[in-house]
Amino acid sequence: MSGARATKPQPALDNEDEDEWDRRIRRTGCFAENEAVLICHADSNDWRKCLRELDAFKKCMQAHNNAQPNPK
């Protein structure tokens, strides 16, 4: 490879059935982390059991927010 980074494949962004929340999360690059949080909570019905997933999502979102230019 010529220095290209491998990334996780992302489903198409132009899915008309996808809701606005999913589109926004997908644009951050944190969709997989968000899905892990949602699945954990659905399985356990207890956010306290999903702290690892929440932390991964938080770190991903912080990295995304830090990479964004500051609006003027």
Side-chain angles (χ1 to χ4, degrees), residues 2-62:
S2 60
R5 284 184 18 197
T7 59
K8 294 185 257 185
Q10 298 285 331
L13 294 177
D14 60 354
N15 183 347
E16 293 176 13
D17 295 331
E18 186 174 54
D19 67 15
E20 181 62 25
W21 172 259
D22 285 342
R23 279 193 292 274
R24 288 180 183 199
I25 294 295
R26 195 176 303 283
R27 284 192 295 258
T28 68
C30 301
F31 190 80
E33 291 82 355
N34 182 64
E35 285 289 300
V37 171
L38 296 175
I39 291 168
C40 178
H41 183 252
D43 289 346
S44 68
N45 269 339
D46 186 350
W47 287 111
R48 295 169 295 181
K49 294 180 180 177
C50 304
L51 296 179
R52 185 174 354 133
E53 292 83 356
L54 284 166
D55 188 51
F57 180 60
K58 176 183 173 184
K59 287 178 181 175
C60 183
M61 289 299 293
Q62 286 173 335

